[in-house]
Amino acid sequence: MSVKDLNLPTDRTIVMGILNVTPDSFADGGRYQTTASAIERGLVMLEEGADIIDIGGESTRPGADRVDVDEELARILPVVTVLAKAGAIISIDTKRAITAEKAISAGAQIVNDVSGGLSDSAMFSKVASLGCVYIAMHTRGDSQQMQSMATYSDVVREVTEEISQRVTSALNAGIKRDSLIVDPGLGFAKEAEDNWTLLANLPALEELGFPVLVGASRKRFLGNLTGAQNPDDREAATIALTHFLAQRGTWGVRVHSVKPHRDAIAVAGELA
Ligand code: PMM
């Protein structure tokens, strides 16, 4: 399956709605723990105009501990199954090949791997055999090490080169070029200033020739700017960023609340 086969809108920035079925994710942890409430939240996001629902069962926040694979599957599979039946395009936010495989069997179409294939050596070959779409996000190290690895002399060049290396490995493993999406991985092995520099220089990443997804929603660097300690209070800054990204024609944004972002994208569209 290619990105084109997902039949997503091509005339505006697409919105990926975040559905973390985890008790410890920094922004919405604990709220959608149960299957029923996660499904309900997913259905609301679809109604609000989410183009993709990104379902994750393992927190990726810096410093987080790994979740047992059975626990990860128990959290996500019932949610994937129901939302797929409801017609959602689903990405599965996982670093594990086995989880990717089971989620695709349950109806997901996209694997969103915050490790860019570095966490599970079986990931690329599994994705190649599944034939699904793959999001290669940039990071360094695992969630315990990443913040100590945010050392760059030229963050734009280094992140672009490192994503390019991940893409080459993915292609060598048999993943098709037109099935790939890339993501700069804001907040993953990056200081606040690195995130801003990457956002101001997205053309460098876009020159690789793949759709670029940006996940800035409610992240700490927005709080550093505005003083908002609570992730929920970073929503206005996130919307402002979505407007900027839509206006410059970014392929997609990964966000916690769907409707305000669809509105911001609609406003940018009228002014284009
Ligand atoms: N950020 C988080 C989790 N998954 N996936 C992609 N592709 N890009 C991101 O920036 C990203 C991600 C961490 O944020 P969360 O805990 O709010 O989901």
Side-chain angles (χ1 to χ4, degrees):
M1 173 180 272
S2 68
V3 177
K4 217 171 154 199
D5 294 332
L6 296 171
N7 286 321
L8 293 164
T10 52
D11 58 347
R12 62 164 170 82
T13 296
I14 67 108
V15 174
M16 172 187 273
I18 303 170
L19 190 54
N20 285 326
V21 196
T22 54
D24 58 348
S25 177
F26 78 88
D28 55 5
R31 262 176 251 174
Y32 308 117
Q33 283 177 54
T34 67
T35 303
S37 59
I39 290 167
E40 198 183 308
R41 174 72 192 138
L43 293 172
V44 168
M45 287 200 285
L46 282 179
E47 248 171 56
E48 290 183 351
D51 300 297
I52 300 170
I53 307 282
D54 186 47
I55 303 176
E58 183 176 35
S59 174
T60 48
R61 104 192 121 71
D65 289 327
R66 294 298 308 257
V67 167
D68 178 75
V69 65
D70 292 331
E71 172 64 21
E72 184 187 21
L73 291 169
R75 288 176 182 178
I76 59 139
L77 289 180
V79 183
V80 173
T81 304
V82 174
L83 294 180
K85 284 209 182 93
I89 296 174
I90 295 169
S91 60
I92 183 74
D93 191 340
T94 189
K95 294 181 272 193
R96 291 189 174 108
I98 180 73
T99 305
E101 179 173 30
K102 291 195 184 288
I104 298 293
S105 303
Q109 294 90 342
I110 306 168
V111 174
N112 175 26
D113 178 3
V114 299
S115 82
L118 290 170
S119 187
D120 186 339
S121 59
M123 183 60 103
F124 286 158
S125 54
K126 180 60 74 187
V127 168
S129 67
L130 292 168
C132 60
V133 172
Y134 181 77
I135 302 170
M137 200 197 77
H138 177 270
T139 192
R140 287 177 172 177
D142 61 25
S143 54
Q144 304 289 343
Q145 308 157 332
M146 63 170 78
Q147 282 325 98
S148 65
M149 297 175 86
T151 50
Y152 302 90
S153 57
D154 179 340
V155 69
V156 176
R157 184 178 53 75
E158 288 169 66
V159 166
T160 305
E161 275 174 13
E162 288 169 30
I163 291 189
S164 182
Q165 286 161 8
R166 303 318 304 145
V167 163
T168 302
S169 300
L171 296 173
N172 288 341
I175 299 178
K176 299 270 184 295
R177 176 166 279 276
D178 61 8
S179 301
L180 286 170
I181 295 166
V182 298
D183 184 326
L186 302 180
F188 288 79
K190 304 194 181 64
E191 300 292 349
E193 201 184 311
D194 300 323
N195 297 327
W196 290 117
T197 305
L198 286 164
L199 284 166
N201 291 279
L202 286 172
L205 195 51
E206 287 164 341
E207 269 170 29
L208 293 176
F210 302 97
V212 172
L213 177 70
V214 174
S217 192
R218 303 182 186 178
K219 286 186 176 167
R220 186 172 300 127
F221 75 106
L222 298 175
N224 292 348
L225 178 73
T226 64
Q229 298 292 320
N230 183 336
D232 288 349
D233 297 335
R234 301 170 189 157
E235 184 58 23
T238 310
I239 297 165
L241 195 51
T242 288
H243 183 263
F244 161 77
L245 292 168
Q247 204 161 37
R248 65 168 297 287
T250 311
W251 180 80
V253 291
R254 179 182 181 277
V255 290
H256 292 90
S257 70
V258 170
K259 183 69 170 72
H261 294 272
R262 283 295 307 267
D263 289 353
I265 292 164
V267 169
E270 284 306 302
L271 297 168

